[in-house]
C-alpha cells in the first residue's frame, strides 16, 4: 500500500502528527524520499517510513511485548549477485 493523501507521521508520543511532506522536510529528506517506502498494517495504519522511523502511534503500550524496526538503506548493505563463497 502506498502513500495516501492526508497520511500523517507522528515522530514521538509528545508530538503532533504532521503530513509526510512536512515530517520529511523537518528531517531534511530530499523531496523524492518523502513518500516512502512505507510500512502499513493490514488496516492501512502507518507503522514506519524509510528515513523517518516508526510512527509513535504504532508503539506498543508499556509492559506489552514489542518488536522494533530499523530501516537499513540499500547502500549500507553488502551488495552481491549471489553467494560469493559458493560462486552461486
Amino acid at each position: 500500500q502506498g502513500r495516501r493523501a492526508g497520511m500523517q507521521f507522528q515522530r514521538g508520543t509528545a508530538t503532533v502528527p504532521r503530513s509526510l511532506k512536512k515530517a520529511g522536510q523537518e528531517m531534511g529528506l530530499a523531496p523524492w524520499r518523502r513518500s516512502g517506502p512505507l510500512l502499513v498494517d493490514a488496516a492501512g495504519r502507518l507503522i514506519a517510513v524509510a528515513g523517518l522511523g516508526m510512527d509513535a502511534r504504532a508503539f506498543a503500550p508499556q509492559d506489552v511485548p514489542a518488536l522494533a524496526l530499523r530501516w537499513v538503506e540499500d547502500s549500507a548493505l553488502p551488495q552481491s549477485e549471489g553467494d560469493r563463497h559458493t560462486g552461486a
Side-chain angles (χ1 to χ4, degrees):
Q1 186 171 3
R3 181 177 172 182
R4 295 185 316 266
M7 189 174 269
Q8 294 187 325
F9 177 82
Q10 186 172 343
R11 183 107 184 115
T13 56
T15 64
V16 296
R18 302 264 193 192
S19 70
L20 286 177
K21 177 181 177 180
K22 184 70 173 170
Q25 287 173 333
E26 289 173 352
M27 292 299 295
L29 292 180
W32 61 88
R33 296 207 47 226
R34 294 180 194 150
S35 61
L38 310 174
L39 178 62
V40 296
D41 67 11
R45 292 180 298 247
L46 187 63
I47 302 296
V49 180
L52 294 179
M54 283 190 65
D55 189 293
R57 297 167 292 186
F59 293 168
Q62 192 171 5
D63 300 325
V64 173
L67 296 174
L69 296 172
R70 186 173 128 209
W71 211 291
V72 179
E73 295 293 329
D74 287 345
S75 61
L77 298 172
Q79 301 297 313
S80 70
E81 292 292 327
D83 185 4
R84 293 181 187 183
H85 300 290
T86 63

